[in-house]
Structure formats: C-alpha cells, structure tokens
Amino acid sequence: MSNAHLIAQLDFLLELDKLKAILRRTRPAGMQRLENSAEHSWHVALMALLLAEHAEPAVDAERVMKILLLHDIVEIDADDTFLYDETGTLEKVAKEEAAAERIFGLLPAAQREAFTALWREYEDRVTPEGKFAYACDRLLPMLQNLANQGQSWLENGVRFEQVIRKNLPIKDAAPGLWDYVLPRLEAARAAGWLA
Amino acid sequence: MSNAHLIAQLDFLLELDKLKAILRRTRPAGMQRLENSAEHSWHVALMALLLAEHAEPAVDAERVMKILLLHDIVEIDADDTFLYDETGTLEKVAKEEAAAERIFGLLPAAQREAFTALWREYEDRVTPEGKFAYACDRLLPMLQNLANQGQSWLENGVRFEQVIRKNLPIKDAAPGLWDYVLPRLEAARAAGWLA
Ligand SMILES: [Ca+2]
C-alpha cells in the first residue's frame, strides 16, 4: 500500500478532532457544559447496537453503527442545527453537501465513496438502517431530556407539538420504542418540562 | 418484549452519559481543554473502520468497532489511567473488573454477556480483533501528539523509550502502521517533544 494512501487516511483521521468542538443543546447528565457532537456520536452508535432488536423491519446493526459514527462529521464545516430550529433548512442541506465533499474528499477514492454513501443513507432515511439510525438520533436527546427534567426543551422553549411532529419517524422505524416514549412525553408536558 | 427488558437497556444507555466526564491527557487539536473518554471512543472506533485494511492478520472491522465503542466504559467507575503511569496496575485491573460487573450488570443477561466478552477481548489482546483494537487505541494519541507538537508527552514528561516500549504491540497487529509512525517518533525526539 502506498504511503500517500495512508497519509490521506490519517489526514481524515486528524480532521475528525474538530467534531469535538461542535456543540449541541443537550447537557450530559450531571454536567453544566453542553454536549459535543463527537461524544454524542459515540453514544448514539452504541445505542444502535444496544437497541437494534427493537427495529422493525430488522436491521443490520453494524451498518447502523457505521452510519451513526459518520452522520455528524459534516458539522465540522456546517455546524450543528438544532432540530427545532425551523429556519434555514435549504441552506443547511447545501452547507452539509459541501462539507461532505470536502471532508470525505480527504479520503482515498474507495473509502470516500463508501463513507459518503453511509452518510447519505442517514440523510435519505429510505433503507431500514437509515431510518433506524435516524430514529436513534431522535430518541437519544429525548431520553436525555426525560432524565434531565427537560433541560434542553426548557432552555430552548420547545413545545410538545414540535416534539411529536419531529420525532414521529421513530414510530415508523421502531414502534416499540415510540410506544415507550410517548406516555413519558405526555407526563413531561404535564410536569411543565415542555411548553 | 417485556418493558423491564427495555428499561434495563435504557438504564445502561443513560449511565453511558458519565463517560463524557472522564478526562484523558490529550487535548483535541486547537482546543485548550482535555479530551474525554466518550469522544475518544468515537474517534478510535471510526479509526478502526478507516484503517482496518492495515491489520495483519486481517480483522473483522465491525467487531473491532464494537470492542472500541465499549472498551473505556469501565472508566465510569475506575477512571482513566495514563498509559505511562507505571504504578497501580494490579489495583487498576481489580477496579476495572468491578466496574465491568456493575455497569454491564445493568443490561439484560444476553447483552451483559455479549458486551462483557467484547470488553474482555480488548483487555486480553489475544484475538486479531482485540490486538488491532488495542493498536488503534495506542496509535491515535501518538498521532494526536505528533500533530500537536508533543503536547501530552511534554505536559507529562514522557520519555522516548517509554513510548517505544508501551506502543510496540502496534507492530504486531499492524506492522505497516508501526513502520509509518516509528521514524516520526524519532523525529519528535529530535525536535525535543519527547524527553
Ligand atoms: Ca446533529
């Protein structure tokens, strides 16, 4: 294998360090600081492995893990967009496409194509794996909020109807997980954690 | 599937948040703060996927990813031990065994066994996957140091001979990666980044 091939791989590897500086709206349990997209990506990839048996139809859990390890890398250039931010969606798509081209473009050709395809599978939400990856990525911050007295909902004025509408894809990919979370969202509204 | 089964899985999932508070000695590129073990776990799991072709003998890259997503979870109870800290190794093993029992013990039985086995595969370094997972975990902070003018080596007074001795398992699991990094370590010593 040529040295140039390995050097391209290592350029990509070191570029990934930057995802550790991209902040989300969630605060990890017991911490004051915001969560970053790199530690979130670890958490949600492991979540997919943990909960894959709840996917309907069944999924290849290992492909879901790979999708989720890669799904936020574009934020290095495009930054995190809060799910409940209703503005700028078209601009977001264009920014993320450019980010994917630049960042996956650091890789040798075969890997550039494979990683881009996994990222696109998340964005497209057509395959069972893409849908389940998206469902995990939606469910995790809800569970964190439910464990955290609605921290990011309250800090950002999120409404119950928004949460239901944005997170309904979970029902399609993992109905058992939706059945679990829905009554807890209703209890959160009753507790005043959601507007 | 029973609700108790899912609730056990979600207890484990939320417990994972705590790994985001465990600090290592490395600082991510361009950042002043220390890296935490959750974002490191993401980085090294993706590294395994990226560099699996360099493993000798060949490995199941997806199993290596799973091993690396899980490998640091015991630090939630046992804390991170700096590689070059030569004291307390026996105590560390006992602490990590107790941590694995408690944390993986949150899971339903089948998953408890599967996740514990993957964690043990890292600790034992007998299978090609366990050895390659360990090699990635050793190589990544060296690459970060080489990109970072020896930041954690200098901050912790690490010597060249220590680095060679502790990281030699890379040569066994991925000789091409060792051949790449060795002359760069020698250059780092010449530059004064290693004592
Ligand atoms: Ca995101």
Side-chain angles (χ1 to χ4, degrees), chain B residues 109-173:
Chain B
Q111 240 165 4
R112 176 169 64 234
E113 282 169 37
F115 284 21
T116 303
L118 286 164
W119 168 70
R120 219 174 277 290
E121 195 166 347
Y122 174 90
E123 294 295 323
D124 291 346
R125 297 174 233 159
V126 170
T127 64
E129 284 76 14
K131 287 181 186 181
F132 187 66
Y134 188 79
C136 288
D137 200 34
R138 291 282 65 79
L139 182 59
L140 180 53
M142 285 205 288
L143 295 171
Q144 288 173 305
N145 263 310
L146 290 169
N148 221 347
Q149 304 193 296
Q151 168 263 319
S152 84
W153 292 327
L154 288 170
E155 288 180 12
N156 297 285
V158 175
R159 288 173 291 105
F160 179 79
E161 287 73 17
Q162 283 179 297
V163 171
I164 298 299
R165 181 161 44 84
K166 289 283 191 181
N167 291 292
L168 208 55
I170 298 170
K171 186 175 181 177
D172 183 35

Side-chain angles (χ1 to χ4, degrees), chain A residues 41-62:
Chain A
S41 295
W42 164 75
H43 203 171
V44 74
L46 199 40
M47 178 187 189
L49 181 66
L50 180 69
L51 299 182
E53 64 187 312
H54 302 280
E56 292 182 27
V59 292
D60 173 346
E62 291 163 350

Side-chain angles (χ1 to χ4, degrees), chain B residues 13-26:
Chain B
L13 181 69
L14 289 169
E15 182 73 16
L16 297 178
D17 239 6
K18 298 179 185 167
L19 195 61
K20 300 169 188 171
I22 303 298
L23 300 181
R24 295 163 49 83
R25 304 293 176 108
T26 312

Side-chain angles (χ1 to χ4, degrees), chain A residues 2-188:
Chain A
S2 80
N3 226 22
H5 179 93
L6 175 58
I7 288 171
Q9 291 176 317
L10 298 182
D11 281 348
F12 176 82
L13 180 70
L14 289 168
E15 182 72 17
L16 297 179
D17 238 6
K18 297 180 185 167
L19 195 62
K20 300 169 188 171
I22 303 298
L23 300 181
R24 296 164 48 83
R25 304 294 177 107
T26 311
R27 299 177 199 277
M31 282 173 254
Q32 290 305 308
R33 67 168 179 84
L34 295 173
E35 186 181 39
N36 72 63
S37 290
E39 61 197 355
H40 160 71
S41 295
W42 164 75
H43 203 171
V44 74
L46 199 40
M47 178 187 189
L49 181 66
L50 180 69
L51 299 182
E53 64 187 312
H54 302 280
E56 292 182 27
V59 292
D60 173 346
E62 291 163 350
R63 197 159 95 240
V64 180
M65 283 171 50
K66 289 193 269 190
I67 290 170
L68 285 167
L69 287 176
L70 291 163
H71 82 292
D72 270 344
I73 288 176
V74 292
E75 294 180 3
I76 289 172
D77 288 351
D79 211 345
D80 184 49
T81 306
F82 190 46
L83 180 66
Y84 302 106
D85 179 358
E86 310 281 352
T87 61
T89 301
L90 273 176
E91 192 196 4
K92 172 182 186 276
V93 169
K95 264 197 203 166
E96 293 191 347
E97 284 287 336
E101 196 156 327
R102 183 189 73 79
I103 301 167
F104 296 128
L106 297 170
L107 290 164
Q111 243 166 2
R112 176 168 64 235
E113 282 168 37
F115 283 22
T116 302
L118 287 164
W119 168 70
R120 219 174 277 291
E121 196 167 345
Y122 174 91
E123 294 294 323
D124 292 347
R125 296 174 233 159
V126 170
T127 63
E129 284 77 14
K131 288 182 185 180
F132 187 67
Y134 188 79
C136 288
D137 200 34
R138 294 281 64 80
L139 182 58
L140 180 53
M142 286 204 289
L143 295 171
Q144 287 172 304
N145 264 310
L146 289 170
N148 220 349
Q149 304 192 298
Q151 168 263 322
S152 83
W153 292 328
L154 289 170
E155 287 179 14
N156 297 284
V158 175
R159 289 174 289 105
F160 179 79
E161 287 73 17
Q162 283 179 296
V163 171
I164 299 300
R165 181 161 43 84
K166 289 285 191 179
N167 292 292
L168 208 53
I170 297 169
K171 187 176 180 176
D172 183 35
L177 297 179
W178 183 253
D179 290 346
Y180 171 85
V181 82
L182 183 58
R184 285 162 180 83
L185 294 174
E186 284 160 354

Side-chain angles (χ1 to χ4, degrees), chain B residues 181-192:
Chain B
V181 81
L182 183 57
R184 285 162 179 83
L185 293 174
E186 284 160 353
R189 175 170 57 173

